[in-house]
Amino acid sequence: MQVAFAGTPEFARAALERLHAAGFAIPLVLTQPDRPAGRGMKLQPSPVKQFAEAHHIPVAQPRSLRLDGKFPEAAAAAREALASARPDVLVVAAYGLILPQWTLDLPRLGCLNIHASLLPRWRGAAPIHRAIEAGDAETGVTIMQMDAGLDTGDMLLAERMPIAADDTTATLHDKLAALGARLIVEALELAACGGLRPVPQPAEGVTYAHKIEKSEAAIAWTNAADAIERRIRAFDPFPGASAQVRGETVKVWRARALMQGRGSVAPGTIVAVDADGIGVACGQGRLEITELQRPGGKRLAAAEFLRGFPLEPGMRFEA
């Protein structure tokens, strides 16, 4: 089976690595163009490109796949490259470009997507973040037959995974990447013998995982402490939950929610400071912050953070 691949970040690299290790022929990899990154803002290849080049797999990096879009020449070149590769199937994982109809139609078996949720819950760009933020007890991976809609295609395989109480987007991402890599190999092995059974997504239970915006990082202290704690975990590593105190914008990376009702002090007010953390009043309950970071600094446990940046009860965190 000839398996072309389209993906960009680490989540996708895990799947490409597993497909390569399983012995599938990979005639072409599509990935996003190199992006500036790091202090020097030098162009950096995506994790998928790095793996492909290290294993001598041809790579194409079109700026668009839309023949009627802003970059028709790039799209035409990508279509020619994909057609020349003659793939039986195109596996897609966090690619970052919309696939037009010609792309969906080109492979004999169509395009299979590795989606990090239990569809139809959390269609869209940020399913891992939104599942943690919403307090979901479980998530998983769905292998989906792609169609023209936004994550609306038939389900081919799915497997559930619990969300641990201390999971962040970073930790859950790695678990789901490994699960998705295993499931796509299973799906292709079933496809090779005609064993896949498409199941339409139910109409009930549809939710959308909207893209994470930097503007969401500011902590709203009027919210309940448990909701704030979930958002802190959901926004680790990006964009990081933040609040202003003593004139600085501080990142809050870890915290515990204590839900014993609402006190008489205003939300955001520091009510306790000790070796265990920094207690902050919320709209309901209080948040015990245990790991923070100043601009340009490192993540620090609360006790170490306080040695260089003292805080005391009565001071206030602002959004």
Side-chain angles (χ1 to χ4, degrees), residues 9-157:
E10 284 292 339
F11 183 88
R13 186 207 57 79
L16 178 60
E17 181 177 0
R18 189 73 176 253
L19 290 169
H20 183 268
F24 287 101
I26 305 172
L28 180 67
V29 161
L30 300 174
T31 191
Q32 289 266 356
D34 297 357
R35 306 291 190 199
R39 289 189 176 182
M41 296 301 287
K42 295 182 179 179
L43 289 178
Q44 299 291 333
S46 72
V48 162
K49 181 181 178 181
Q50 292 177 42
F51 181 88
E53 290 189 333
H55 293 83
H56 311 291
I57 301 171
V59 175
Q61 296 177 272
R63 298 170 71 181
S64 171
L65 294 174
R66 293 182 60 88
L67 296 170
D68 57 351
K70 291 183 178 180
F71 310 104
E73 293 181 359
R79 182 169 68 171
E80 182 177 352
L82 193 58
S84 298
R86 300 174 63 85
D88 294 297
V89 64
L90 175 63
V91 171
V92 183
Y95 178 31
L97 290 182
I98 295 174
L99 301 191
Q101 193 63 46
W102 72 260
T103 316
L104 301 175
D105 294 340
L106 191 149
R108 176 175 61 89
L109 297 175
C111 301
L112 305 190
N113 179 243
I114 307 170
H115 188 76
S117 83
L118 298 172
L119 292 169
R121 185 156 178 81
W122 302 127
R123 295 174 179 173
I128 302 175
H129 303 74
R130 299 306 184 189
I132 293 175
E133 183 184 22
D136 290 1
E138 64 178 3
T139 184
V141 168
T142 304
I143 306 298
M144 176 190 68
Q145 185 82 50
M146 296 182 72
D147 61 15
L150 176 62
D151 299 329
T152 56
D154 290 348
M155 301 179 292
L156 304 174
L157 283 179

Side-chain angles (χ1 to χ4, degrees), residues 152-194:
T152 56
D154 290 348
M155 301 179 292
L156 304 174
L157 283 179
E159 187 167 320
R160 297 176 180 273
M161 173 179 290
I163 299 177
D166 61 349
D167 262 329
T168 65
T169 288
T171 60
L172 190 56
H173 166 280
D174 291 350
K175 296 175 189 178
L176 291 172
L179 175 58
R182 174 170 61 79
L183 283 185
I184 192 60
V185 169
E186 292 179 15
L188 292 179
E189 289 172 345
L190 285 169
C193 61

Side-chain angles (χ1 to χ4, degrees), residues 235-313:
F235 288 6
D236 180 356
F238 175 85
S242 64
Q244 290 192 346
V245 64
R246 285 184 48 193
E248 288 193 17
T249 300
V250 173
K251 293 283 189 181
V252 178
W253 292 113
R254 289 187 183 277
R256 292 187 293 268
L258 306 174
M259 301 301 296
Q260 66 265 39
R262 190 182 187 284
S264 58
V265 297
T269 302
I270 297 174
V271 295
V273 178
D274 56 38
D276 293 329
I278 303 162
V280 184
C282 302
Q284 182 181 352
R286 83 177 195 187
L287 198 70
E288 188 128 298
I289 301 172
T290 57
E291 185 176 281
L292 309 89
Q293 181 183 16
R294 293 178 67 184
K298 298 178 180 179
R299 296 189 185 194
L300 298 174
E304 187 177 359
F305 178 89
L306 290 166
R307 284 196 287 271
F309 194 76
L311 299 173
E312 58 187 45

